[in-house]
Amino acid sequence: MKAPFTTVADIVKQGSGALLPALLLAAPLAGCATTAATPAAVRLPAIDVPAQAETDPVGTPNADAADDPAIWRNAADPGASLILGTDKRAGLYVYGLDGKVRDFAAAGALNNVDLREVRMADGSKRILVGASDRTDRAEPRIALFNLDGASGKLTALGAEAFLPAGHAPAEAYGYCMGNALARDELARAYVVLKDGSVAESRLVEKDGRIAADYVRLVKFATQSEGCVVDDAGKVLFVAEEDVGIWKVPLAGATLVAEPFARVGAQDGLVADVEGLAVARESGGRAWLVASSQGDNAYALFDLSSGKPAGRFRIDGGTIGGTSDTDGIEVMLGDFGPQFPEGLMVAQDGNNAPKAQNFKMLSWRSIRTALGIE
């Protein structure tokens, strides 16, 4: 049984320091410090799984620069699928599955990235890419791009502010996207602000551009960053770094956070909890994957039960492992002979003597190592 969480009502009574007056708060785990402490021993062992490929290093050397990946699967030619990765000091990269750079957009301080295939009002399809834009540390924006799946080239569509006028200064930090929840929109965007707030926006066509229209917000008590949307379940997952993982159903009129997993031995998470990804099979079975940065591992959770399903590290083989991982992404399906059942991409915080990069590994190797049938 998971440790209890304090209630929303309790934290509201304490005062929120809210970005906006009408919002719901998520509180930390009862008895859990809001700053990282010496981690307790984790019960589940972490099994080594080797990377099978890696990307070229990002262009910013000798710095914490690479941060978050996204995956676009080419259904017609899986081996021609693409990976996107941020250099949070410079812009956005596009890589092939061989790890080579296909394109780079010098777009400033982009932290987290995600994408969705959308249908425009004229019936055309587009690979819409969004990223949290930290270039202006007081005015958070979503940087938008069109990705050409055939050439791997990015076209900048602009950086859209999304908070209502008069908001307090806020810094864009985490970012994820979900499918549209209404007919008149392309997708939903979720920006995790540096103060722990998560703002939801509708991405819509407006006056010849794609705009971000603010919808609602949920706030966590301490710093959060990683997030992912499970489109099939209509659920947003958010990683509160020193506390754990929250589940936020999206179908209701308001956003209310529910506990999913906590930092500590029972759930196999060591602070900071960073990147999140959903691995969903075509038959419906699914897992949540989390970067347990504090012990350089990754934790899997069965989405149907919420129970831990195993832990692993990226290590061994001819390619170096990962450490201090920020962002991750996982997508199941055929990605060609090297990744026949799916692909995981993880940021590597220490790729010395080269700059940071992203490592790639096969879902089949993860599944086999953890005994997932």
Side-chain angles (χ1 to χ4, degrees):
M1 181 177 181
K2 293 180 173 64
F5 280 56
T6 56
T7 66
V8 169
D10 290 338
I11 193 70
V12 169
K13 290 176 183 177
Q14 297 170 11
S16 67
L19 176 70
L20 298 172
L23 55 84
L24 293 169
L25 298 172
L29 290 163
C32 183
T34 58
T35 56
T38 301
V42 174
R43 294 179 183 176
L44 286 173
I47 299 171
D48 287 348
V49 180
Q52 284 156 279
E54 62 181 334
T55 67
D56 289 340
V58 298
T60 303
N62 305 316
D64 181 23
D67 196 87
D68 188 52
I71 300 170
W72 175 71
R73 180 176 176 271
N74 186 331
D77 184 3
S81 299
L82 300 170
I83 296 167
L84 287 84
T86 57
D87 179 333
K88 60 189 174 187
R89 299 170 185 265
L92 182 61
Y93 284 91
V94 181
Y95 304 96
L97 294 186
D98 59 0
K100 301 301 181 184
V101 175
R102 296 289 191 271
D103 196 19
F104 173 70
L110 304 186
N111 205 55
N112 285 190
V113 63
D114 205 354
L115 61 85
R116 286 294 185 275
E117 293 188 12
V118 302
R119 185 177 294 277
M120 308 299 289
D122 63 6
S124 63
K125 292 183 179 180
R126 176 177 289 183
I127 305 168
L128 180 62
V129 178
S132 52
D133 189 344
R134 303 171 68 191
T135 304
D136 185 336
R137 297 299 173 98
E139 180 64 68
R141 298 180 186 275
I142 300 171
L144 296 170
F145 304 85
N146 178 65
L147 172 64
D148 186 316
S151 67
K153 300 300 181 182
L154 290 165
T155 301
L157 303 176
E160 294 290 325
F162 55 89
L163 291 177
H167 68 83
E171 180 183 340
Y173 201 43
Y175 181 82
C176 54
M177 291 174 73
N179 288 344
L181 297 178
R183 286 188 175 183
D184 61 342
E185 62 192 39
L186 301 173
R188 290 280 169 119
Y190 300 86
V191 180
V192 184
L193 304 174
K194 199 66 179 284
D195 71 350
S197 304
V198 183
E200 180 188 49
S201 299
R202 301 166 65 244
L203 297 180
V204 297
E205 293 184 74
K206 182 184 295 185
D207 301 327
R209 74 181 205 281
I210 298 177
D213 286 350
Y214 170 83
V215 179
R216 51 191 177 173
L217 179 146
V218 61
K219 187 170 190 311
F220 298 91
T222 62
Q223 184 171 300
S224 307
E225 180 180 3
C227 69
V228 67
V229 176
D230 175 23
D231 289 314
K234 291 185 171 58
V235 171
L236 169 71
F237 292 93
V238 179
E240 189 176 1
E241 294 184 356
D242 293 336
V243 175
I245 301 171
W246 295 84
K247 176 180 179 179
V248 186
L250 299 175
T254 57
L255 298 178
V256 180
E258 305 169 358
F260 183 81
R262 66 182 179 90
V263 167
Q266 183 163 316
D267 287 338
L269 294 171
V270 180
D272 292 348
V273 184
E274 291 281 347
L276 300 177
V278 170
R280 181 174 288 277
E281 294 180 343
S282 58
R285 189 168 62 155
W287 297 266
L288 181 72
V289 187
S291 169
S292 175
Q293 191 183 73
D295 68 339
N296 301 321
Y298 308 88
L300 261 70
F301 298 89
D302 186 312
L303 272 192
S304 63
S305 67
K307 295 180 179 179
R311 301 175 75 249
F312 65 97
R313 290 188 175 90
I314 301 176
D315 202 5
T318 59
I319 295 173
T322 59
S323 60
D324 298 320
T325 293
D326 288 324
I328 63 173
E329 183 61 289
V330 180
M331 184 175 289
L332 303 192
D334 177 19
F335 282 84
Q338 198 169 14
F339 311 103
E341 296 180 10
L343 171 67
M344 176 173 175
V345 182
Q347 182 259 6
D348 183 11
N350 184 5
N351 190 45
K354 298 178 180 179
Q356 295 178 343
N357 72 346
F358 301 90
K359 301 297 196 287
M360 293 176 267
L361 62 162
S362 165
W363 176 254
R364 175 181 287 176
S365 64
I366 297 170
R367 181 182 60 76
T368 301
L370 298 183
I372 298 172
E373 298 296 333

